[in-house]
Amino acid sequence: YIYQLLNVMCVLYYNIIKGILMLKQSISVKDQFGVKHAIQATVDKHFANTQSSSNVKHITVDGEDIRPSFEMFFQSTLSGKIFKII
């Protein structure tokens, strides 16, 4: 029981720290059809200085968190759309 409790506490602590180090930012993306979308991105603390897409951890579109591919495209598993930061 104590091991399970410690495990849960570690997971909660990790998520709290992760939340502190990650920030929300409004950005614009285009889907593969050229349609522009204003969305929320979760970025690391360096994004404010760099404005680099490499500092974007994931974008949130229609409630779905989408992580980037190696090419920094974000493909939705719900809609099938592919987004690129502009």
Side-chain angles (χ1 to χ4, degrees):
Y1 173 77
I2 294 198
Y3 175 75
Q4 290 174 333
L5 183 60
L6 286 173
N7 191 32
V8 168
M9 289 175 61
C10 286
V11 169
L12 287 173
Y13 180 72
Y14 172 78
N15 287 332
I16 289 168
I17 295 301
K18 184 178 171 186
I20 291 170
L21 298 177
M22 297 293 157
L23 307 166
K24 297 289 184 184
Q25 180 72 38
S26 294
I27 63 171
S28 294
V29 296
K30 278 189 181 178
D31 64 24
Q32 75 267 36
F33 305 111
V35 177
K36 207 179 216 186
H37 304 266
I39 54 94
Q40 285 284 316
T42 299
V43 300
D44 67 21
K45 63 182 180 179
H46 302 291
F47 183 82
N49 294 329
T50 66
Q51 296 291 305
S52 170
S53 60
S54 65
N55 297 108
V56 175
K57 299 307 173 191
H58 67 268
I59 63 173
T60 303
V61 179
D62 296 329
E64 178 187 13
D65 291 338
I66 308 171
R67 301 204 180 281
S69 65
F70 287 112
E71 299 86 16
M72 290 307 292
F73 292 108
F74 299 79
Q75 184 168 7
S76 169
T77 57
L78 298 179
S79 69
K81 290 184 179 177
I82 299 170
F83 300 94
K84 180 177 170 105
I85 296 172
I86 54 174

